[in-house]
Amino acid sequence: MSDKATLEINGQKNEFAIIKGTENELAIDISSLRSASGGAITLDPGYKNTGSCESGITFLDGEKGILRYRGYSIEELAEKADFLEVAYALIFGNLPNAEQLHKFHSDIKTHSVVDDDVKKILDAFPKAAHPMGVLSSLTSALTAFNPSSVNVDSEEDMYNSVVRILGKFPILVAWTMRKKKGLPLYYGDSSLGYVENVLKMMFKQPHEEKYIQNPILVNALDKLLILHADHEQNCSTSTVRIVGSSHAGLFASLSAGISALWGPLHGGANQAVLEMLEAIKEDGGDTKKYMAKAKDKSDPFRLMGFGHRVYKNFDPRAKIIKVAADEVLGDLGIQDPILDIAKGLEQEALKDDYFVKRKLYPNVDFYSGIIYRAMGIPTEMFTVMFALGRLPGWIAQWREMRLRKEPIGRPRQLYIGETERSFIPIKKR
Ligand code: CMC
């Protein structure tokens, strides 16, 4: 195969290098296209065919349903690793040894505090505020209390900024939920593991002297966070990278990523799935009616939790989560009719021509909400939990982008507006 791609524009042939990734993926390097072709650009709304960077963090093959962080398969990580090990591997490139992991955790713990004034900001939000808006605001507000910028050329400074945000973010997540539930705010417990600490900060009731950990919930949350930890160049991650590419700080970049995640086509799908399943249940549980609505092009309804931009055969995370949902509900002795509706919808979709032809399968968010609900997490908090899981991925991608000294993100456009015209004074318009 030639290592060059040829593009002919107006009779002029231009050659571009073909670059191969470590998994033999091909990319045409068109960085010289404008200058070589006299100004032509590529047009690719939604970036369906456009790579924005070279990255060594996450590999996914949507046709084969493969997802690997730093070369480790998601199946193996979900089964054998814990969230903090995965976070370390994503951010720094390799799994930590025992000493590195211990240091990483203890450094995170020393930063597990936020300025008390953050409580005042939280207090100012109405109780009805959506937790994703609150989380994004509080993350941005951290900039005010940690104003010094990170020297990305200093490994120590980089490391400190990583452990700082990993320490503070779970507090913001827990407080966001406690605010929603009208509960007093607590700091964490440094004797606990990262995930156990999150659960205690979220769930400890004022009347409880001691919060008793439920190992089923600890395991389930650990797994969910691992499954969400990174997913290469999606909407929120690309947002983090592009905001960071202007050299805006880490907190500001993460806050933008949280806002991008919020939408129902991305992280907000987990909330939308649960609301959809509830609506189907309220409406008598007629899944066929909703299947028909999803296929009707004049109806804006979509089957939430179905379809994915890159997975076209199955989402490997959905496979793991479906089994986990069964286990968690079984272990907790919960019979949730919502789970039956979800399974019914999945079965129908998998044999329906419309879904089969368009390669629409359940994605990671189809079953995650069922587990969060069983854990006692309010529906509006589901996307916040996704953000907690995605945090190491965003950090890893931001760090990689800065270390590789990537240029500021600045796409081109094809202008389709009015050509030049004269100003008309208001009286004559
Ligand atoms: N229900 C019904 N039809 C659908 C759905 C759906 N959930 N998803 C896609 N389609 C149809 C769509 O109407 C289109 O049909 P046609 O070719 O006849 O016009 C075709 O399938 C291709 O859809 P698309 O919107 O062009 O595909 P996309 O790659 O731009 O969108 C998606 C991917 C995930 C935004 C979309 O499948 C969707 O909206 N799904 C529901 C929301 C969802 O579950 N999002 C969570 C994604 S996983 C979490 C994450 O990583 O962010």
Side-chain angles (χ1 to χ4, degrees):
M1 189 193 77
S2 156
D3 55 358
K4 297 246 182 290
T6 309
L7 182 64
E8 193 172 322
I9 304 172
N10 293 335
Q12 187 196 322
K13 284 192 176 157
N14 300 282
E15 282 198 332
F16 301 99
I18 296 179
I19 306 174
K20 213 187 231 186
T22 48
E23 291 284 350
N24 295 323
E25 292 173 300
L26 300 182
I28 305 166
D29 177 359
I30 51 111
S31 51
S32 63
L33 174 64
R34 279 191 81 245
S35 52
S37 67
I41 59 163
T42 54
L43 195 59
D44 185 20
Y47 312 113
K48 294 192 178 192
N49 306 280
T50 299
S52 59
C53 60
E54 291 174 275
S55 178
I57 300 170
T58 289
F59 171 70
L60 77 79
D61 181 329
E63 308 303 324
K64 296 193 186 129
I66 294 172
L67 173 63
R68 294 186 206 127
Y69 302 158
R70 299 288 188 184
Y72 306 106
S73 81
I74 192 66
E75 290 80 8
E76 212 176 356
L77 291 173
E79 194 193 328
K80 298 177 186 162
D82 72 29
F83 178 60
L84 222 48
E85 277 179 289
V86 170
Y88 187 99
L90 277 169
I91 297 167
F92 300 112
N94 292 302
L95 284 169
N97 61 28
E99 198 185 318
Q100 287 166 325
L101 186 61
H102 178 75
K103 179 172 170 10
F104 189 48
H105 194 191
S106 86
D107 290 338
I108 288 171
K109 283 177 189 171
T110 61
H111 289 287
S112 294
V113 60
V114 294
D115 196 286
D116 242 28
D117 280 347
V118 173
K119 286 184 184 162
K120 290 191 200 148
I121 301 176
L122 187 61
D123 263 351
F125 280 101
K127 204 168 163 232
H130 194 285
M132 283 299 276
V134 176
L135 184 69
S136 166
S137 306
L138 294 185
T139 306
S140 195
L142 287 181
T143 324
F145 304 102
N146 304 269
S148 60
S149 61
V150 185
N151 173 7
V152 296
D153 295 320
S154 151
E155 220 172 282
E156 193 190 342
D157 236 37
M158 247 328 182
Y159 177 83
N160 288 339
S161 69
V162 168
V163 289
R164 192 179 308 133
I165 186 66
L166 282 169
K168 295 180 191 311
F169 199 71
I171 300 172
L172 304 186
V173 165
W175 285 7
T176 300
M177 185 177 102
R178 295 186 79 88
K179 160 88 186 181
K180 189 95 205 141
K181 289 188 160 181
L183 292 168
L185 308 179
Y186 293 130
Y187 279 107
D189 177 342
S190 62
S191 68
L192 297 175
Y194 193 81
V195 172
E196 290 168 322
N197 189 33
V198 170
L199 286 170
K200 181 173 175 186
M201 281 197 291
M202 287 175 78
F203 289 113
K204 186 175 178 307
Q205 299 298 312
H207 63 268
E208 283 176 338
E209 196 154 311
K210 194 170 182 310
Y211 175 73
I212 312 284
Q213 296 282 344
N214 180 339
I216 299 164
L217 300 190
V218 178
N219 261 331
L221 184 55
D222 211 44
K223 199 170 274 192
L224 281 167
L225 297 180
I226 290 171
L227 293 176
H228 284 95
D230 195 48
H231 212 233
E232 53 122 289
Q233 306 313 311
N234 50 80
C235 177
S236 58
T237 302
S238 302
T239 299
V240 169
R241 280 184 95 120
I242 207 162
V243 172
S245 77
S246 74
H247 296 193
L250 178 58
F251 296 140
S253 307
L254 292 172
S255 162
I258 295 165
S259 296
L261 186 73
W262 190 352
L265 298 191
H266 190 15
N270 53 16
Q271 174 180 341
V273 169
L274 229 286
E275 286 167 354
M276 173 189 79
L277 295 173
E278 284 281 10
I280 297 176
K281 190 181 117 205
E282 291 302 308
D283 197 19
D286 184 357
T287 48
K288 287 199 168 58
K289 177 174 162 189
Y290 285 84
M291 288 287 290
K293 273 166 76 65
K295 294 188 284 182
D296 179 355
K297 291 287 171 200
S298 63
D299 188 327
F301 176 79
R302 277 192 167 196
L303 211 53
M304 298 314 289
F306 267 77
H308 201 276
R309 171 61 63 79
V310 286
Y311 292 122
K312 298 301 178 196
N313 281 317
F314 67 95
D315 178 341
R317 304 166 300 171
K319 266 193 167 179
I320 301 171
I321 265 186
K322 185 180 175 185
V323 176
D326 262 335
E327 279 169 10
V328 172
L329 265 58
D331 288 347
L332 295 175
I334 296 174
Q335 294 227 311
D336 192 342
I338 291 284
L339 182 61
D340 299 329
I341 293 177
K343 284 184 176 169
L345 267 182
E346 179 182 353
Q347 267 165 22
E348 277 176 45
L350 291 181
K351 55 182 185 339
D352 188 290
D353 255 11
Y354 174 97
F355 286 85
V356 173
K357 233 169 83 193
R358 289 170 181 75
K359 302 191 171 191
L360 302 170
Y361 299 89
N363 59 49
V364 67
D365 284 326
F366 193 60
Y367 286 103
S368 63
I370 291 170
I371 307 182
Y372 288 136
R373 182 168 128 120
M375 296 173 80
I377 296 173
T379 311
E380 279 197 334
M381 276 292 296
F382 292 177
T383 315
V384 167
M385 302 311 291
F386 189 154
L388 180 66
R390 186 53 56 89
L391 181 67
W394 286 333
I395 298 171
Q397 302 270 352
W398 175 87
R399 181 175 174 272
E400 179 182 69
M401 179 272 306
R402 291 303 307 271
L403 289 180
R404 288 176 60 87
K405 304 206 182 310
E406 283 177 16
I408 185 168
R410 205 297 185 190
R412 290 275 169 179
Q413 63 162 19
L414 189 68
Y415 178 68
I416 55 164
E418 299 288 344
T419 52
E420 188 176 14
R421 49 183 170 164
S422 295
F423 175 80
I424 303 163
I426 195 153
K427 283 188 220 140
K428 294 195 178 166
R429 268 179 243 157

